[in-house]
Amino acid sequence: MRLIVAAPLVAVMGFAGLALTESARQTARASDLGQLAQLGAEAGGLAHRLQHERIVAADLLTRGAPDQQDAFADATTATDAAVAGYRRQRARMPAGAAAEQAILPRIDAALANLAPLRAQVRTAERASVSAMTFSYRIVIADLLGLRESVTLGVVEPRIADGIRASAALSKVAEAVGQQQVAVLRAVTAGQVTPALQQDITAARTGVTEASLTFLALARPAWQGWWEQAGSGENALRLQRLLDQVARTAAGDRLELDLGTWLTATQQWAVRLAELRLRVDGAVLDDIRAAHADQRRRTVVEAAAALLALLLTALVTWAVARQITRRLRRLRDAANAVAFERLPQVVARLQEPDSASVDPDDLARRQAVDALEVSGDDEIGEVGQAFNAVHRAAVRTAAEQAVMRANTAEIFIHLSRREQRLVDAVLAQVDRVERDETDPDRLHQLYALDNLATRMGRINASLLVLGGVGVGRVRHHDVPLPQVLQAAQSQIEHYARIRLGLVDGDVAVAAESVDEVVHLLAELMENATGYSPPATEAWVTGRSLGDRVIVQISDEGVGLPPHRRQQLNDLLAQPPAIDVATVRAMGLVVVGQLATRLGAAVQLRSGPRRGTIAEVALPAALLRPLPPEEFLLTPERPSRRAARATVASPVVPATVVPAGARPAVVPAGARPAPQPWAGGPAADRALPVAPVFQPASSAAADAPTEELIIFDQVNHWFQADRPGDAASWAGPADDAWRTAARADEPRVAGTTTSGLPRRQPQEHLVPGGVPAPRQATEHRDPARVATAMAAYARGVAGRRTNLITN
């Protein structure tokens, strides 16, 4: 309850603190605005002094009378006094308070360059009036820009309009000063040139526009001040002079008394400066009043905040029990949605059948029981808002799942269509290879076979990205050396792969063979692709009891540590399907396969150079091989056979396990393709028959195995059987007779090229391959889909009408 009471108090204190902070900020801003407005007023006065100094300097350069030197000295003295006042106000400015900080350094630099400019005016006999007046014009323009920038950030319209009106008066004075200089140059030149006439017209237009701007922003009292300044005999004299200047055409001589012109315009400039000072004073008074009001408002807000704290403490203490109960119910319901229901929905959306989900319907159904909203107060509104957030989260997750599932489905359909074509190509190549006797053409067919096999691996990679399996339906485990050879046969530079020490007493489970082969093939492809062509990549596989470690090492330049870490992160957590995933498909597919298999893949630096890809296959993927079955594993080709078939896609091995008898392949002959390397050759391979079965009479605490043939001949030595010769015949005799006929094969026919054709499976030994026992188990829908796809791919590979001419 104390927390419930304290929470509103803290909230009120926080909001009160924010309000007080904002009020204090507004008060400080009002104070800064007063400083800025005072600086703008000083800038206006300095601009007036520089305008007067400019016309005196122009008169000195054009006429050069001695009395003009004294007038210029008096003007510079007045200007220096204005500069000193401006700098004093400039020093009072707080750091970072003005938005126009960028213009202040330019003004400081221009004021520092006044001394050389004045020296040039005093000493130069033929100084350019236009260049001199342009230098003054630049610093005056920056001062006027400073006046206009003061209005930035001003919230009060009355104050902002007043500052703009004062800046407009400064613009009127600047336009009058430019007109003074232009007329002075025209009188000195003896005629009004087109350029001077254009300057005079522009200056007069500037006076008119700035005057209209001031009148539009001025208060009624200020408009009265303007009318007073513009009336009287001096104003009429100035107007006659302005009309005379305006009537002078280009090329004519301007008949004008220069002294009268300068006196009249200077009197008008003085009246404008006095009017500007009155306007600046009124604006500063408004700013001071606003500052005082803001300060009083801050004090009132502080008192109101204190009172609000007291009232909040009383009210919250009165309703604490009710709020506590409702907040607890809301908290429990929100936790249930956030940590149980929503993660469960997201987890269900990760399943393969999420493509058929309707996001809106799912979000509506999930939000029905999300939170029970009670009441229409703030707590009820929070519950409604949480329900809305929950619906939006479920809808977004469902849309993402549908999009991922649709993208994966596209990959799957495209890959399976392409795979049917690849299988058809492999079938056709296989038929041509069987009838081909030319070694050169057979070499080309082997290269084509390898290329098609690699295309099939790319299609399988798309299937992995689509979220389905890549394997065919298999019923027998495959020894680890043959798995490595199968992976080797699926890459381009298979001849550069060398198998090192590989344990042959372990096999990969039948349902995971193709995925393990695909994973290792991708890593072998990287090892040969990112290493020099003349180097070799070594592959080793060691059994460590609970896992098998396969290492693929190359002799490339290696990877930088940060890049290797990035790739290891990608392998540990493969990204979602996108364009970058397809571009860098190899390692992404490895990561997906490793996740599906429960394997671990890591890249490490080599001992000297290059990179080592280490794959840890878990015990769930492995099956032990007894020594007898390991000895009966199909032999690997010898080194002589490897040299004879180096051009073949079927990769020769470099290591023969202890106890295995190498089979010599004649030179020029093609060894039998690996049963899992892709293509029709996979269907012609036969698994090795098991030679052990569970013992019929073994102790319960020591399970053993016995040879199958022991069970078949054990009845020969039973004592109750007759002793004639016929009783010695057993089921194995048929097997021996079938094996004895193997050296005299019968020819069932000949091929089109004249080669003999034998009867398939004629020499199979009866009883050598017992039917496996089918155990009832739960079938994974993804594996069923993979099996059906493999079946369809196998059927399509045998349809001759799929091969088009």
Side-chain angles (χ1 to χ4, degrees):
M1 183 183 298
R2 287 180 295 180
L3 291 177
I4 297 178
V5 175
L9 290 178
V10 172
V12 172
M13 291 178 61
F15 285 114
L18 291 176
L20 292 177
T21 301
E22 183 62 25
S23 298
R25 187 181 297 111
Q26 292 291 342
T27 303
R29 189 177 301 169
S31 176
D32 294 342
L33 180 60
Q35 297 292 339
L36 282 173
Q38 186 64 40
L39 182 64
E42 294 291 341
L46 178 57
H48 169 67
R49 292 302 178 185
L50 288 173
Q51 291 164 0
H52 178 62
E53 181 179 336
R54 176 179 59 189
I55 189 60
V56 174
D59 189 19
L60 175 61
L61 290 176
T62 53
R63 294 191 295 177
D67 55 344
Q68 298 299 324
Q69 289 284 355
D70 297 335
F72 183 71
D74 295 339
T76 55
T77 301
T79 302
D80 291 339
V83 169
Y86 169 81
R87 287 176 174 171
R88 284 193 300 271
Q89 186 60 33
R90 169 79 167 81
R92 296 191 187 101
M93 290 298 300
E100 63 280 350
Q101 290 295 328
I103 201 173
L104 295 178
R106 294 204 306 269
I107 296 176
D108 295 339
L111 294 179
N113 293 329
L114 283 178
L117 180 61
R118 292 169 178 174
Q120 184 179 4
V121 171
R122 291 191 185 96
T123 59
E125 296 179 356
R126 297 182 180 180
S128 174
V129 177
S130 60
M132 180 273 301
T133 55
F134 182 75
S135 299
Y136 279 100
R137 184 175 181 179
I138 290 176
V139 62
I140 293 172
D142 288 338
L143 291 171
L144 298 183
L146 174 61
R147 300 215 63 188
E148 291 181 345
S149 63
V150 172
T151 59
L152 297 176
V154 179
V155 180
E156 181 63 36
R158 178 182 176 87
I159 297 176
D161 291 342
I163 296 174
R164 293 190 185 97
S166 179
L169 287 177
S170 297
K171 286 186 177 180
V172 173
E174 174 60 14
V176 171
Q178 294 178 9
Q179 195 173 15
Q180 282 179 323
V181 175
V183 170
L184 178 62
R185 292 174 59 195
V187 172
T188 305
Q191 63 175 354
V192 180
T193 62
L196 290 175
Q197 187 182 31
Q198 184 177 3
D199 292 342
I200 293 172
T201 303
R204 188 167 185 175
T205 303
V207 171
T208 304
E209 292 178 352
S211 300
L212 294 176
T213 302
F214 170 75
L215 293 175
L217 298 172
R219 304 168 190 173
W222 298 354
Q223 293 177 1
W225 297 346
W226 172 269
E227 292 176 358
Q228 293 177 3
S231 60
E233 183 179 354
N234 292 331
L236 293 176
R237 185 185 308 111
L238 177 62
Q239 187 62 42
R240 287 194 297 270
L241 292 175
L242 292 174
D243 294 339
Q244 181 180 354
V245 171
R247 289 192 299 269
T248 304
D252 296 343
R253 182 179 181 83
L254 181 59
E255 299 295 339
L256 185 68
D257 183 58
L258 192 57
T260 304
W261 164 256
L262 293 177
T263 301
T265 53
Q266 189 60 31
Q267 290 176 354
W268 172 238
V270 171
R271 289 196 296 272
L272 289 175
E274 294 174 352
L275 179 58
R276 177 185 51 76
L277 287 175
R278 298 177 68 181
V279 171
D280 288 340
V283 171
L284 289 175
D285 292 339
D286 292 340
I287 293 175
R288 295 188 188 98
H291 184 209
D293 292 341
Q294 184 62 40
R295 194 162 46 193
R296 286 192 297 271
R297 189 179 300 112
T298 302
V299 175
V300 172
E301 288 180 355
L306 181 60
L307 180 61
L309 286 174
L310 295 177
L311 292 177
T312 302
L314 294 176
V315 172
T316 52
W317 184 264
V319 298
R321 292 182 179 274
Q322 181 180 1
I323 294 178
T324 302
R325 289 194 297 267
R326 297 184 61 191
L327 286 178
R328 285 177 179 173
R329 290 197 298 268
L330 181 62
R331 180 200 60 190
D332 296 338
N335 287 335
V337 170
F339 298 106
E340 296 179 8
R341 298 180 184 176
L342 186 58
Q344 291 174 0
V345 173
V346 175
R348 287 198 300 269
L349 290 174
Q350 301 296 329
E351 297 178 357
D353 57 349
S354 59
S356 59
V357 174
D358 184 1
D360 294 330
D361 181 66
L362 180 62
R364 185 169 52 256
R365 287 188 287 104
Q366 290 294 326
V368 171
D369 300 329
L371 286 180
E372 181 181 356
V373 180
S374 60
D376 55 354
D377 55 358
E378 288 77 5
I379 298 178
E381 293 176 355
V382 171
Q384 295 176 359
F386 190 87
N387 285 337
V389 172
H390 177 63
R391 286 194 299 270
V394 172
R395 184 185 301 107
T396 303
E399 290 174 352
Q400 293 292 329
V402 170
M403 183 178 64
R404 290 194 301 269
N406 291 337
T407 304
E409 194 68 21
I410 292 173
F411 281 0
I412 293 171
H413 285 296
L414 292 178
S415 176
R416 285 177 175 171
R417 288 187 178 184
E418 187 68 20
Q419 187 62 40
R420 284 196 292 268
L421 298 178
V422 172
D423 289 342
V425 170
L426 286 172
Q428 184 67 20
V429 170
D430 189 67
R431 282 192 290 271
V432 175
E433 287 176 353
R434 285 199 297 259
D435 298 334
E436 184 59 52
T437 58
D438 187 358
D440 295 334
R441 296 185 61 184
L442 192 61
H443 172 76
Q444 297 176 359
L445 290 174
Y446 287 167
L448 182 60
D449 193 341
N450 179 258
L451 180 60
T453 302
R454 285 155 42 208
M455 292 174 61
R457 180 166 56 84
I458 294 177
N459 292 330
S461 297
L462 294 179
L463 286 177
V464 173
L465 295 180
V468 298
V470 301
R472 291 178 168 84
V473 179
R474 304 192 183 278
H475 302 288
H476 299 280
D477 306 331
V478 179
L480 180 61
Q482 297 181 14
V483 170
L484 297 179
Q485 288 180 348
Q488 183 181 1
S489 66
Q490 292 188 8
I491 68 173
E492 179 180 2
H493 304 289
Y494 56 86
R496 292 170 50 197
I497 296 294
R498 292 293 178 265
L499 297 181
L501 186 60
V502 179
D503 292 339
D505 58 348
V506 64
V508 178
E511 64 272 10
S512 305
V513 167
D514 293 282
E515 294 179 344
V516 173
V517 168
H518 192 179
L519 185 149
L520 297 176
E522 292 291 346
L523 294 177
M524 291 182 185
E525 186 74 37
N526 282 351
T528 56
Y530 292 98
S531 59
T535 61
E536 296 177 344
W538 283 87
V539 180
T540 61
R542 301 306 308 271
S543 174
L544 301 182
D546 60 338
R547 63 189 183 278
V548 166
I549 303 297
V550 178
Q551 289 188 343
I552 303 172
S553 59
D554 59 62
E555 297 184 6
V557 297
L559 293 170
H562 68 280
R563 178 56 179 166
R564 186 167 58 251
Q565 183 61 39
Q566 291 176 356
L567 295 180
N568 285 329
D569 295 340
L570 182 143
L571 291 171
Q573 296 180 350
I577 299 175
D578 55 6
V579 178
T581 301
V582 179
R583 289 177 179 173
M585 188 166 54
L587 289 182
V588 175
V589 170
V590 171
Q592 295 282 2
L593 289 173
T595 302
R596 289 167 58 90
L597 297 171
V601 181
Q602 187 178 17
L603 301 180
R604 297 188 289 104
S605 60
R608 292 181 302 172
R609 59 178 180 176
T611 303
I612 297 177
E614 183 176 281
V615 182
L617 301 177
L621 305 179
L622 307 175
R623 301 291 184 269
L625 288 179
E628 292 78 2
E629 188 171 345
F630 169 63
L631 294 178
L632 293 178
T633 303
E635 295 84 353
R636 305 180 185 182
S638 63
R639 296 184 180 271
R640 176 173 174 268
R643 291 193 299 270
T645 60
V646 69
S648 171
V650 181
V651 183
T654 59
V655 176
V656 178
R661 184 181 59 186
V664 179
V665 180
R670 182 191 180 194
Q674 301 295 337
W676 41 81
D683 302 318
R684 297 198 302 270
L686 295 176
V688 177
V691 296
F692 287 92
Q693 67 178 10
S696 58
S697 58
D701 56 347
T704 59
E705 293 182 345
E706 63 183 9
L707 293 172
I708 295 177
I709 193 168
F710 176 82
D711 180 67
Q712 296 177 353
V713 303
N714 188 35
H715 64 280
W716 294 356
F717 304 100
Q718 294 177 359
D720 56 348
R721 293 186 57 88
D724 53 30
S727 62
W728 287 93
D733 292 342
D734 294 335
W736 284 106
R737 285 192 294 271
T738 302
R741 294 196 302 268
D743 58 345
E744 298 178 358
R746 291 185 300 173
V747 178
T750 57
T751 62
T752 56
S753 59
L755 296 177
R757 181 184 293 117
R758 298 178 180 177
Q759 184 67 26
Q761 301 182 355
E762 180 182 5
H763 301 296
L764 290 181
V765 177
V769 182
R773 297 180 179 177
Q774 300 293 336
T776 303
E777 60 180 355
H778 173 71
R779 294 188 176 183
D780 187 3
R783 294 189 179 275
V784 173
T786 302
M788 294 304 297
Y791 175 76
R793 187 163 59 248
V795 173
R798 285 159 177 76
R799 295 177 182 174
T800 56
N801 56 357
L802 292 178
I803 309 301
T804 58
N805 295 328

